[in-house]
Amino acid sequence: MGAVNQTDIPPVLVTGATGRVGRLAIDQLLDAGVPVRALTRRSEAAATLPAKVEVFAGDLTVPESLDPALSGAGAVFLVWTAPPRTAEAVVERLAAHVRRVVFLSSPHQTPHPFFQQPNPMAVLHADIERLIAATGLESTIIRPGMFASNTLAWWAPAIRAGEVVRWPHSAAETAPVDDRDIAAVAARTLYQDGYVGGDYVLTGPESLTQAAQVDLIGDALGRRIAFEEITPDEFRSLWEGTVPSSAVDMLLAAWNAAVGQPSYITTAVADILGTEPRTFRQWAVDHAIALTEGS
């Protein structure tokens, strides 16, 4: 028997491998010497992944398509990117093949008004959590709050165009968490022992109003960004046709509930990684090019 080497670590399968968190989690796992498999619906996506990654074609809507990727895997990072109807069959397949699952969920149980608004995504997440719990899989649930990277979709187009950022509920407070911190927590809980049964709400380190977040982006870019408060109805018409109205209603309800309320903040990122979570200012500095020129 030789020394224990990397080939003794069963591979981790990452679903949502080209998404915001999955893609970064892959890098974190590879850095830790963990073999990685990626599940992707499109073969051309393989070109964007590191050469060391073993790519499997598969689709959460076709549960049996996951079998080759699951065979011989030790753990799965589950990022649900499909309609709900195949969730039960997918979780059954995970339980049949692997020992451990880390699920990217949301803070729907968190006793803070921002997270207590009606939310179809939260219903789906809660259902998947129940399915996972019923299988006896070793599981860890991670629940990022507001993603710092949402601002790329929300405010970057106006910033690039040199226009005013027009937004509702500027006084709503959130604690944006850096995608890199979410991915690092996911990776750590996938390959290190001690997190089975863990349930972690992940937030950034500080509560900031939306207007303050825009100001911090301006600081990072070295220019003032004009901000104009708009009404919820103006916001609805602004996003009509680009974002489902249910998603817009969900955001408006959450922001409305968060006005005048300091955001919910946890120490989970620091507890797990041993380093403080990145600040929103740090996120903005590191994403200055994406904010001004696009990805």
Side-chain angles (χ1 to χ4, degrees), residues 112 114 146-148 151 154-155 167-178 203-217 219 227 255 258-265 278-284:
H112 186 282
F114 182 76
M146 186 60 81
F147 286 67
T151 57
W154 294 347
W155 302 330
W167 210 250
H169 300 305
S170 61
E173 297 192 31
T174 60
V177 58
D178 194 302
T203 71
E206 60 202 328
S207 181
L208 296 164
T209 66
Q210 301 202 87
Q213 291 170 37
V214 174
D215 284 344
L216 284 169
I217 291 173
D219 290 350
F227 186 102
W255 289 324
V259 171
Q261 278 268 9
S263 184
Y264 186 82
I265 291 176
R278 293 172 171 92
T279 62
F280 187 74
R281 178 188 292 276
Q282 183 67 54
W283 180 88

Side-chain angles (χ1 to χ4, degrees), residues 63 80 83-94 127-128 131 135:
W80 194 264
R85 68 194 159 73
T86 53
E88 188 168 3
V90 166
V91 170
E92 278 172 9
R93 286 194 127 71
L94 301 188
D127 283 344
I128 293 174
L131 292 168
T135 62

Side-chain angles (χ1 to χ4, degrees), residues 74-89:
V76 174
F77 182 35
L78 181 61
V79 182
W80 194 264
T81 53
R85 68 194 159 73
T86 53
E88 188 168 3

Side-chain angles (χ1 to χ4, degrees), residues 9-10 12 28-29 32 34 75 99-102 138-140 184-198 200 271-274:
I9 305 173
V12 169
Q28 296 275 351
L29 289 163
V34 179
R99 202 166 53 93
R100 180 174 207 169
V101 62
V102 173
E138 293 181 0
S139 67
T140 307
V185 167
R188 191 70 62 93
T189 58
L190 278 159
Y191 72 83
Q192 270 194 358
D193 291 330
Y195 302 107
V196 173
Y200 305 103
D271 296 344
I272 293 169
L273 300 180

Side-chain angles (χ1 to χ4, degrees), residues 81-131:
T81 53
R85 68 194 159 73
T86 53
E88 188 168 3
V90 166
V91 170
E92 278 172 9
R93 286 194 127 71
L94 301 188
H97 287 281
V98 303
R99 202 166 53 93
R100 180 174 207 169
V101 62
V102 173
F103 177 48
L104 184 70
S105 186
S106 53
H108 56 81
Q109 302 165 330
T110 301
H112 186 282
F114 182 76
F115 297 119
Q116 290 300 308
Q117 305 312 305
N119 178 340
M121 199 66 198
V123 174
L124 170 63
H125 284 155
D127 283 344
I128 293 174
E129 287 166 38
R130 276 195 292 274
L131 292 168

